[in-house]
Each structure stands twice: as C-alpha cells, then as structure tokens.
C-alpha cells in the first residue's frame, strides 16, 4: 500500500513531480541570474553555457512534466464536486498553455545566446523572462499548496477503498465467450 500512496495508485509518482518542481525552481533562478549576467557582461562563455542548459531543460523536462500532470494528476480532480477545485485545475491547464506560449518566445533567443549571438533585445528578453518567471512560480505554488495535496488525498482514498475490497476469484470452469 505504501507504493500505492507513493504513486497515487494511478501511476502518478508525486515524489518525481515534486522533484521536478525543485528542478524547475532552480532553472528559474538560473534564468533570472542569466538576465542579470547578460545585462552586466553580455554574451560570454558563461552566458552561452547557461543559456544552452536552461533552454534544453525547459524545452524538454519541463514540458514533459506538464504533460504528465495533464494525464495523471488533473483528470481525477476535474471530476470533483468541489467547484473551486475544478476551477483551479482548469486555470492550471490554461497556465500550461500560457507557459508554453511564453517559452516559445524565449527559447529562440536563448538558443541564439548559446550559439554566441547577441542580436536579441535585452529589454524585450528581460520583460519576457520576468513574465515567464512570475507565471511559473505562481503556477508551482498553486500546484504544491492545493492540487498535489488534493490529488494525494484522493489517491489515498482510492487505495484504501481498493484494499478493503475482497480479492477477485476466478472459477476454473467459467464458460468461454468464444
């Protein structure tokens, strides 16, 4: 049963989702620091390396994380009778779209920086990154304070219910349907 609670009984590994949030938060800090570095020192070897690592993370791991939430965390919560919870999940789904859209504006600039180019507009990049940082941080806070606890509680409830059911017994002489 410990495994069912860890995975939410539905294949959702909340420890992995929580760990990914920590990785996202660390990369958001790196992205913020990169902006300051670019303003101070421009495109140098450090900026190139950071831009490449940040772009790779948000273009892969972060997107896969959102897809996993959409498949494994949100569906059960959307069937809740709690209208406020359902509205929060719907807002987070919309956030996923906004985060992706914001990222699509930032990623090409980071790829250019990683390649050593400095054709980007520093003020425009700073603004885009500020919006992205704020949205991601608020999004994670809502998931960690409302959505994940609700999803974990629901998974534990289902696990308890499953554990209380008698085991299935199959009869050897059951008629075949073929």
């Amino acid at each position: 049963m410990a495994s069912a609670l860890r995975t939410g009984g539905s294949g959702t590994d909340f420890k992995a989702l929580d760990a990914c949030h920590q990785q996202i938060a660390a990369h958001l800090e790196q992205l913020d620091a990169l902006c300051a570095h670019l303003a101070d020192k421009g495109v140098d070897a450090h900026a190139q390396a950071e831009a490449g690592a940040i772009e790779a993370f948000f273009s892969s791991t972060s997107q896969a994380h959102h897809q996993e939430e959409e498949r494994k965390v949100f569906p059960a919560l959307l069937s809740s009778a709690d209208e406020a919870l359902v509205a929060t999940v719907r807002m987070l789904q919309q956030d996923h779209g906004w985060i992706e859209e914001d990222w699509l504006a930032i990623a090409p600039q980071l790829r250019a920086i990683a390649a050593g180019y400095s054709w980007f507009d520093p003020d425009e990049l700073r603004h885009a990154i500020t919006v992205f940082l704020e949205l991601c941080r608020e999004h994670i806070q809502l998931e960690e304070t409302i959505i994940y606890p609700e999803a974990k509680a629901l998974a534990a409830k289902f696990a308890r219910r499953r554990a209380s059911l008698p085991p299935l017994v199959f009869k050897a002489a059951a008629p075949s349907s073929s």
Side-chain angles (χ1 to χ4, degrees), residues 68-83:
E68 184 172 1
E69 289 173 334
E70 294 281 346
R71 282 190 327 269
K72 297 182 177 179
V73 178
F74 294 171
L77 299 175
L78 287 169
S79 64
S80 171
D82 182 342
E83 291 179 20

Side-chain angles (χ1 to χ4, degrees), residues 50-127:
E50 287 291 296
I54 293 165
E55 192 279 329
F57 176 81
F58 282 108
S59 291
S60 61
T61 304
S62 180
Q63 289 176 343
H65 170 80
H66 290 158
Q67 291 167 357
E68 184 172 1
E69 289 173 334
E70 294 281 346
R71 282 190 327 269
K72 297 182 177 179
V73 178
F74 294 171
L77 299 175
L78 287 169
S79 64
S80 171
D82 182 342
E83 291 179 20
L85 178 62
V86 171
T88 301
V89 173
R90 294 254 185 249
M91 183 179 72
L92 290 171
Q93 287 178 311
Q94 186 176 37
D95 281 357
H96 284 167
W98 288 117
I99 289 169
E100 179 65 16
E101 187 172 317
D102 289 348
W103 181 247
L104 290 174
I106 296 169
Q109 295 178 74
L110 291 182
R111 284 192 295 273
I113 292 165
Y117 297 108
S118 57
W119 54 256
F120 64 93
D121 179 334
D123 293 332
E124 185 178 308
L125 180 61
R126 170 43 105 181
H127 174 72

Side-chain angles (χ1 to χ4, degrees), residues 20-29 57-58 62 65-66 140:
C20 194
H21 275 177
Q22 292 173 352
Q23 291 177 331
I24 292 170
H27 281 84
L28 292 172
E29 291 301 318
F57 176 81
F58 282 108
S62 180
H65 170 80
H66 290 158
I140 289 172

Side-chain angles (χ1 to χ4, degrees), residues 5-27:
L5 291 176
R6 182 184 70 79
T7 63
S10 63
T12 305
D13 186 345
F14 287 101
K15 288 182 182 181
L17 291 171
D18 288 336
C20 194
H21 275 177
Q22 292 173 352
Q23 291 177 331
I24 292 170
H27 281 84

